[in-house]
Amino acid sequence: MPHRVANFFRSSTHSLEHQVSNFTKKSSSGSRRRASPPGSGRSTGSELVAYTSEEELDDSHAPPYVPRLKMGDSRTSSFTSDSHKEKDHGHHHRLSFPGMHFGRSNKESHVHTPASLDWKLESPPIVMYGNAENSTGALLSGQLFLHIKDEALEIESFTATLTIRVSQKKPFANHCAECTSQCTEIKKWSMLEHPLVMMRGQHSFPFSVLMEGHLPASMETPLVSISYEFKAEAIPRSNGITPVPPIRLEKVLDVKRSLPASEIPHHSVRVFPPTNIKASAHYPHVIHPIGSYTLALRLDGISKLNPRVNTIEYWKLKKLTWRLEETIKTVAPACGRHSPRLGDSEEGAQPKKGIVRSDTRIIGEKTLFSGWKSDYTSANDAKVELELEYSLGKHARSACDTKSQDGTEVSHQLMVEMVVSQEWAPVNKPSLVTHTGVGRILRMHFGTILTERGGIGISWDNEAPPIYQDVPPSPPAYSQETNLHSDASIAEMIEPLDGALTAGPVHRLVVEEEGGSSRGHWRASSEGR
């Protein structure tokens, strides 16, 4: 049958719907194809062309390529003879769908894990208080829990490491793993000194480390990202039959830095020559990622009296824009293979450390056309006052101020831009304002420190146990020894206890001697205290 020759050359990558539709069409038109003569295929010249049936020609998913077979090809005769045999005996091929496998595959089979790893941090959040030069660091402590699921499991080694990973977004050499990522080990723990057989249950392993204060905080910027990775690995000993995979635990730590904030707002004064405009601003020097802050701004010297023509010249505020800008500087280091030499012709040339890259982005901005108070009643004391609220953008991914030893530096500044235009009016008629067409842009930059909130936490070195002033440095000394088995009266040596006044009987200690030994017991008495 000619249509089966065409089906043989069809690609097996057709969709499931296309193959099912072809199978339905073949079954419905099977009787008509059986009635057609074997030599219904058309031939031109010395070549035989295999065509599909009419139903398949109407299919929009039919492949555009139609294979051609020569008349003398042995494959044509074999295909034709096979098709005749199938027509005579009424056999049908089973439809298969390549790439379709039902049921669970070998890759999805469940792998038994004899143990699992978990952890619990006992230290507070990792916050370094103070700048990199003065900070004493932060403490990290916790426990690793190894859960043994089998009856017994021999652990060959159990280690944990704390590393800092610096990833360059614009590395020195593209497609180089060593130039892109640098990993430095901070601390390594060996939980087991030798192989140990552990029984079923939970086994805890404590760990602790002091993270030094010069380490940078975790950050994610367009140029560089810094992260702290904690990895633990327990390697079971293989029984020789089935290899046991190692048990791993990987966590990422969030390290922050908190800088102290001043309670007094920072005061800054700007003068804009050749005009007499003077800007006085009060603003907080330290801000945090969450929250809004206020900048109090006052403009003086915005009016000028011209006695020659008896007019007053004004500078009126038309537009104000504020922006929070973040500047990132980093050094993209070069690995050993890509580090060029400085002055190759000179002897003893030093390798180049890397390329300095910088980027500035906006993490918050807003434009105002109103909202300030203007007072032009006095010709010599006109002023403009406003309180500007600013904060970080809602979806801004900022990084806190930092300066690390590897050259990474993040800084912030608040930029305020004002557009003023010049107007004049007669002294007797100040309402007759005339625009001069002169305008100026006044731009101011205020250094700002962006840091995390310190909260109620303090540095680890400032934490001290309580000191009780009334407790003596040592217990009191006893001058005489007491022998309980002597004949001395124990009741005389014991000081009576004076408790709160009670309505009940008073209990006193009574000592009795019997057979050369003494014993004491409490006896209730109705006497007073």
Side-chain angles (χ1 to χ4, degrees), residues 202-508:
Q202 177 176 293
H203 305 268
S204 61
F205 300 87
F207 64 91
S208 63
V209 64
L210 173 61
M211 303 180 67
E212 299 180 2
H214 66 83
L215 295 175
S218 303
M219 68 175 65
E220 183 70 26
T221 65
L223 290 181
V224 62
S225 65
I226 300 177
S227 61
Y228 291 83
E229 300 176 355
F230 181 88
K231 297 180 179 180
E233 183 181 27
I235 301 178
R237 176 164 292 182
S238 178
N239 53 11
I241 302 176
T242 304
V244 182
I247 307 163
R248 295 186 176 92
L249 175 69
E250 296 183 2
K251 297 291 183 179
V252 178
L253 298 173
D254 187 15
V255 179
K256 300 180 181 180
R257 182 178 296 278
S258 177
L259 300 177
S262 176
E263 297 180 358
I264 302 175
H266 195 74
H267 184 212
S268 178
V269 178
R270 300 286 192 274
V271 179
F272 303 94
T275 65
N276 297 327
I277 301 177
K278 182 179 68 174
S280 177
H282 293 80
Y283 64 97
H285 191 53
V286 178
I287 63 174
H288 307 288
I290 300 177
S292 60
Y293 303 90
T294 303
L295 180 142
L297 184 64
R298 173 172 173 168
L299 298 180
D300 295 318
I302 58 177
S303 64
K304 179 182 178 182
L305 179 62
N306 192 349
R308 292 184 303 174
V309 294
N310 199 19
T311 59
I312 301 176
E313 297 178 357
Y314 301 100
W315 290 101
K316 290 194 175 181
L317 181 60
K318 300 294 184 181
K319 177 183 174 182
L320 186 143
T321 302
W322 64 265
R323 285 197 300 266
L324 275 172
E325 297 179 351
E326 181 179 82
T327 303
I328 308 164
K329 296 181 181 179
T330 183
V331 178
C335 63
R337 296 181 301 169
H338 297 98
S339 57
R341 298 286 178 176
L342 294 177
D344 296 336
S345 59
E346 301 178 0
E347 296 182 359
Q350 297 295 330
K352 190 176 181 180
K353 295 183 179 180
I355 299 178
V356 178
R357 302 191 185 277
S358 61
D359 183 30
T360 301
R361 59 175 179 171
I362 299 173
I363 57 177
E365 65 176 338
K366 190 175 182 181
T367 301
L368 304 175
F369 295 94
S370 61
W372 48 82
K373 298 179 181 180
S374 303
D375 184 9
Y376 297 98
T377 56
S378 177
N380 297 324
D381 193 18
K383 59 183 179 180
V384 175
E385 295 180 343
L386 65 94
E387 289 188 355
L388 180 67
E389 289 190 0
Y390 62 97
S391 62
L392 273 69
K394 184 177 181 181
H395 302 286
R397 300 187 62 181
S398 60
C400 294
D401 280 51
T402 184
K403 188 176 182 180
S404 59
Q405 297 179 353
D406 61 351
T408 302
E409 183 178 356
V410 180
S411 59
H412 299 83
Q413 66 176 356
L414 174 64
M415 192 278 295
V416 178
E417 183 180 275
M418 298 176 291
V419 178
V420 295
S421 64
Q422 190 179 35
E423 301 175 359
W424 67 272
V427 176
N428 299 330
K429 298 180 179 180
S431 60
L432 298 178
V433 178
T434 304
H435 298 275
T436 61
V438 178
R440 293 188 180 274
I441 298 178
L442 311 180
R443 188 177 290 110
M444 297 176 291
H445 297 272
F446 305 101
T448 304
I449 297 177
L450 179 64
T451 182
E452 296 288 345
R453 295 184 182 271
I456 60 175
I458 59 175
S459 182
W460 67 272
D461 55 336
N462 293 330
E463 297 179 357
I467 299 176
Y468 301 96
Q469 303 293 339
D470 298 336
V471 176
S474 61
Y478 297 93
S479 58
Q480 57 181 353
E481 297 180 357
T482 302
N483 187 5
L484 297 178
H485 300 283
S486 62
D487 297 339
S489 177
I490 302 178
E492 297 178 357
M493 301 175 58
I494 298 177
E495 183 180 358
L497 300 176
D498 295 336
L501 294 175
T502 58
V506 179
H507 297 269
R508 298 186 182 277

Side-chain angles (χ1 to χ4, degrees), residues 162-168 177 180-186 216-219 224-229 231 406:
L162 176 63
T163 57
I164 175 174
R165 182 178 297 276
V166 181
S167 301
Q168 300 290 336
T180 303
S181 179
Q182 298 83 35
C183 191
T184 305
E185 183 178 292
I186 299 177
S218 303
M219 68 175 65
V224 62
S225 65
I226 300 177
S227 61
Y228 291 83
E229 300 176 355
K231 297 180 179 180
D406 61 351

